[in-house]
Amino acid sequence: MDTRAGRYFRWLLFWQQQGRCCYCGEHVLLTYRPYDAARPYAATLEHLHRRADGGTGHPSNLAMACKRCNDTRGERDWLSYTSWRRDEF
Ligand SMILES: [Zn+2]
């Protein structure tokens, strides 16, 4: 989501989450350059409830995740994915 609103929310969530991914807790890289956006730790906007499951683009449904987590989450719900990411299973 590289719209103006998307950039704004990434910036906002970056500060709210103290620069850490909402899943793995690693520091993310807030960047606007396409080259950096392909890195595993690039900040991405995540929909907690997947849009395929009826989740909206409302701020309450958005979180910041690193690209690696975002890419590998697949169809898991965000809570179980967080636990799995943090080795809590
Ligand atoms: Zn992550």
Side-chain angles (χ1 to χ4, degrees), residues 38-81:
R39 292 172 191 258
Y41 289 108
T44 63
L45 264 188
E46 172 73 342
H47 292 79
L48 292 176
H49 293 286
R50 296 164 59 242
R51 275 195 280 206
D53 295 335
T56 68
H58 190 271
S60 65
N61 190 40
L62 295 176
M64 188 191 59
C66 69
K67 182 170 171 17
R68 195 179 58 161
C69 287
N70 204 340
D71 284 350
T72 53
R73 179 183 162 198
E75 298 193 348
R76 275 169 285 217
D77 72 84
W78 68 271
L79 206 53
S80 54
Y81 183 66

